Amino acid sequence: MDKFFRKIILASSLVIILFLLLAAWRENLSMDWQKYQQKYKQELFHLAQNDQEKQTAEEYEIKLRQIVLPKLGRSDRCVTCHVAIEDIRMDHMEQPLKSHPGDYLDKHDLNETGCTVCHDGQGRAITVDAAHARDPHEYWEKPLLDKPFIESNCVRCHANTLTQTPNYNYGKALFKKKGCFACHSIRGLGGAKGPDLSDIGDASFHVKMPTAENREGLLNRFNGNVNLAYLHEAIVDPAAQPKETLMQKVDFSDDEVAGLTVYLKSLSSQRRVMDIGVSEVQSSTPLTFPTKSKASEVTGASSKGYAVFNDNCISCHTVGDGDRVGPDLKGIVGRRKMKWLREFIQYPSKLINAKDPIAMDLLKKYDVVMTDMGLTDEDVDEVIKYLKNPEAVTVVSKVKTDTKDQEALTQGVSPEQVSKGIALYQGKQRFVNGGPSCLACHNVKSPDVFSGGLLAKDLTTSFSRLGGMGLGAILKNPPFPVMKKAYKDKPLTEDEVSAVLAFLEKVSLENQKEGGKESSIEFGLILLVIGLSGLFGLFLLYFLFWINKKNKSVNSKVYDRQLKSEDD
């Protein structure tokens, strides 16, 4: 029997090893994506017209590919199969080796947007079924979208109306025209008789699912997309669920149903901009645009230049009101050569790195490095047009504003306001619109807060250097690229700006009293002592448990007793 069981174990082991070898072979040598990449490599050789292109084809590596997008919280491996997505020569190929249709990739950097932000699907998957997530029995959260429903994801980034989204535009207009806001609300706008639709495009099968009698047909129709199936059912047959609904059935055409479905699918928590409010209108004079505190109507030949200046430059510069963080720009066009001025506005880092004498003098005088703002050639032209003749622009505020001097924003502030500023700065109290805390990037030398980040400038003397007006302008309309992105859709409220300014003014005054000496608590040594104490405690705990451990196995004690009994 022992020999028989040994043979069984040996045979089982060999079978298991065989299966492991087969799995390893499939995983490393025979996956579908590897076959696609091999075919693409062959096509590169076929299309090569010179030695350099043949060398490129020879060096093409068969490997797992992905686009990591930490800002979007995504890792897209779609390019593992769709390796030719940016190769316009592959337009004749079949999917997944076909180049992306249209000119979308000319306007969207694949390394910044990825694939799933537009198409949905499971970005981390490396098989077709899992990546497309269309199995109606799996209930994937985000199955791959087809036309026209892919239009619903454009509003994740775009606020203005796009000609490329006709179904979305039609559905949005129809939603308003049919009076849907009378019963339904979106982000607080609308009625309360029906359910809030703010995030209806995210409703998963746990929340909203077609009724049993309609489920199979609708899931097959929408490739397993539970959310689209439910939205379609709710539009076409509102009485399906709930039965006691007040919503009446409307005989919509197929185009109207498609448009409404696309629009409702777009109502998602992932939207960057809600389109039910006011969006910036890209038009000629007059140009109406919103700011974080007011809306203004700007007229004049260089109104667009004023808008660009207001969004990117005004936090650090004025035109005729004196120096702020940087110099007053009134008359700058007459003082500088046009070529130098254009380059410095668009790419100041190039001149600073090249040790340009004028740029270095400005850096020495103002002690602030001007950063590249990502302005286009057109933006620069418009800004220069505005700076040439700023008097030609007329700005009429459409909202009543407080006429008090902004420099006095923090004068006479209460201890409660300073405490609030401390809490907001550290992140103990979140900003209303969800912006990151200041502590994440900035440090201040104050006993009121923990040591902060070193990614950005120390703010200990920021109030004394910039004043309430300059610092307040930066907080309201951040001019620096990283800060601008962080607070793009998460602006600080007036109350939050005042509270943070109150705290920074307090820090500045304390620093002056200390003669500029560091007054913050040195947490590094404290953390070191705590860490070493904890490590010592762990070693002590391990020692106490280890000292009582058995040095030999239980079997050894049984064996010793057996020997002793035999001796006896």
Side-chain angles (χ1 to χ4, degrees), residues 24 48 61 71 75 162 215 240 286 305 310 391 412 464 523 530 545:
E61 187 177 358
K71 295 179 182 178
S75 294
L162 301 174
R215 188 171 304 158
N310 188 75
E391 293 79 13
S464 60
F523 288 96
I530 293 174
F545 280 105

Side-chain angles (χ1 to χ4, degrees), residues 101-119:
D103 61 350
Y104 294 97
L105 296 188
D106 294 338
K107 302 175 181 178
H108 299 80
D109 186 348
L110 197 62
N111 293 315
E112 292 289 335
T113 61
C115 305
T116 57
V117 71
C118 297
H119 295 270

Side-chain angles (χ1 to χ4, degrees), residues 60 82 135 160 180 198 281 293 297 339 349 359 367 389 398 447 482 536:
Y60 182 80
H82 296 272
D135 188 341
N160 295 317
C180 303
S198 299
V281 180
S293 60
E297 186 174 274
K339 181 181 178 181
S349 61
D367 194 29
N389 191 16
K398 299 169 69 176
V482 175
F536 177 80

Side-chain angles (χ1 to χ4, degrees), residues 275-500:
D275 60 354
I276 58 174
V278 180
S279 296
E280 181 171 338
V281 180
Q282 297 176 349
S283 61
S284 57
T285 306
L287 178 66
T288 303
F289 62 95
T291 64
K292 295 178 177 62
S293 60
K294 63 178 183 294
S296 302
E297 186 174 274
V298 184
T299 57
S302 55
S303 56
K304 284 189 177 180
Y306 176 87
V308 176
F309 186 89
N310 188 75
D311 288 340
N312 299 278
C313 315
I314 202 169
S315 298
C316 297
H317 300 280
T318 71
V319 182
D321 291 330
D323 292 355
R324 188 172 284 174
V325 179
D328 185 342
L329 299 182
K330 186 175 178 63
I332 188 68
V333 176
R335 296 197 303 271
R336 305 293 184 201
K337 292 182 179 180
M338 188 57 63
K339 181 181 178 181
W340 183 93
L341 186 60
R342 286 185 58 82
E343 187 171 4
F344 193 75
I345 291 175
Q346 192 168 18
Y347 302 114
S349 61
K350 287 185 178 180
L351 293 176
I352 293 173
N353 293 335
K355 305 296 182 182
D356 177 84
I358 299 176
M360 299 311 293
D361 286 342
L362 291 171
L363 180 60
K364 182 178 180 180
K365 180 177 180 180
Y366 295 96
D367 194 29
V368 176
V369 178
M370 182 172 169
T371 56
D372 297 346
M373 304 304 295
L375 301 180
T376 65
D377 291 340
E378 182 183 0
D379 291 336
V380 174
D381 288 337
E382 293 295 337
V383 169
I384 291 176
K385 187 189 296 183
Y386 165 64
L387 293 176
K388 281 182 178 178
N389 191 16
E391 293 79 13
V393 173
T394 302
V395 182
V396 180
S397 175
K398 299 169 69 176
V399 180
K400 292 183 179 180
T401 57
D402 190 354
T403 58
K404 291 189 300 181
D405 184 2
Q406 292 187 28
E407 198 66 39
L409 277 173
T410 60
Q411 291 181 6
V413 295
S414 63
E416 291 76 18
Q417 204 168 8
V418 174
S419 298
K420 181 178 180 179
I422 295 172
L424 290 169
Y425 183 92
Q426 295 184 94
K428 291 183 177 180
Q429 179 178 335
R430 293 295 306 274
F431 290 114
V432 171
N433 292 320
S437 65
C438 314
L439 189 72
C441 297
H442 297 278
N443 180 51
V444 291
K445 299 170 183 176
S446 170
D448 295 319
V449 300
F450 196 88
S451 296
L454 301 175
L455 298 176
K457 199 171 182 65
D458 187 292
L459 299 182
T460 305
T461 60
S462 59
F463 192 93
S464 60
R465 288 187 295 106
L466 306 176
M469 179 181 290
L471 195 55
I474 291 174
L475 292 174
K476 292 177 184 178
N477 189 18
F480 310 110
V482 175
M483 191 175 176
K484 194 172 186 176
K485 288 182 180 179
Y487 294 92
K488 180 179 179 182
D489 300 318
K490 303 169 184 178
L492 274 62
T493 65
E494 290 289 342
D495 184 55
E496 290 170 341
V497 170
S498 298
V500 174

Side-chain angles (χ1 to χ4, degrees), residues 157-177:
C157 302
H158 298 279
N160 295 317
T161 302
L162 301 174
T163 56
Q164 295 88 345
T165 57
N167 293 278
Y168 168 81
N169 300 340
Y170 183 43
K172 174 185 170 182
L174 197 62
F175 188 88
K176 296 177 181 178
K177 181 179 178 181

Side-chain angles (χ1 to χ4, degrees), residues 494-511:
E494 290 289 342
D495 184 55
E496 290 170 341
V497 170
S498 298
V500 174
L501 284 177
F503 166 59
L504 292 177
E505 183 182 24
K506 177 177 181 289
V507 170
S508 184
L509 291 173
E510 289 174 345
N511 185 71

Side-chain angles (χ1 to χ4, degrees), residues 252-297:
F252 291 116
S253 67
D254 291 342
D255 289 341
E256 289 174 330
V257 172
L260 286 170
T261 304
V262 171
Y263 177 67
L264 292 177
K265 179 63 179 171
S266 75
L267 301 178
S268 162
S269 59
Q270 297 184 47
R271 291 175 67 118
R272 302 283 186 86
V273 184
M274 283 305 300
D275 60 354
I276 58 174
V278 180
S279 296
E280 181 171 338
V281 180
Q282 297 176 349
S283 61
S284 57
T285 306
L287 178 66
T288 303
F289 62 95
T291 64
K292 295 178 177 62
S293 60
K294 63 178 183 294
S296 302
E297 186 174 274

